[in-house]
Amino acid sequence: MKLNIDTTGKTFTVTKGVEEKKDQNGRQKADRNTNELLWSVQVMALDETGGEVINVTLAGNAMPKVNVGATVVPVELEAMPWATNGRNGVAYRAKTLNPATGSAKS
């Protein structure tokens, strides 16, 4: 089950550089449907209730160009709850991370 996330009123800041998303054998994973390479970017999502650090997966054959400290806007951000071997969590995926324009402050 995928849940679309409303990013209105939230600020996303890159907190760790782009990394290859790897499988258990150390090879870079690829999207099952498109065969595009998968990348992971750590961001802090911040709104009036506080902040949370999340890892967002992006697909593309070129490494996404985002810098640590940059404010970005996730495009089509989705949350996918998961449970495996007694562990569970939420995986996040976006189509891309666009540079934020203007100021988030009002």
Side-chain angles (χ1 to χ4, degrees):
M1 174 174 72
K2 293 179 183 177
L3 306 169
N4 291 322
I5 297 177
D6 181 4
T7 59
T8 306
K10 295 176 178 58
T11 303
F12 295 85
T13 304
V14 177
T15 54
K16 187 176 180 184
V18 178
E19 295 182 348
E20 294 179 355
K21 192 162 178 99
K22 298 192 177 196
D23 65 16
Q24 64 273 19
N25 297 318
R27 291 189 300 261
Q28 187 170 10
K29 289 183 176 183
D31 183 276
R32 290 184 190 125
N33 299 320
T34 65
N35 215 28
E36 290 181 299
L37 298 174
L38 296 179
W39 308 89
S40 181
V41 180
Q42 185 184 82
V43 299
M44 180 181 64
L46 181 66
D47 65 14
E48 68 279 352
T49 64
E52 182 178 353
V53 175
I54 62 173
N55 289 309
V56 177
T57 298
L58 305 169
N61 289 322
M63 180 184 279
K65 298 199 177 356
V66 293
N67 296 317
V68 173
T71 303
V72 295
V73 178
V75 176
E76 297 179 24
L77 183 62
E78 298 176 326
M80 294 158 285
W82 59 270
T84 303
N85 298 327
R87 296 175 41 221
N88 59 44
V90 178
Y92 295 92
R93 185 166 180 152
K95 189 169 200 149
T96 189
L97 295 176
N98 288 336
T101 56
S103 173
K105 296 181 179 125
S106 46

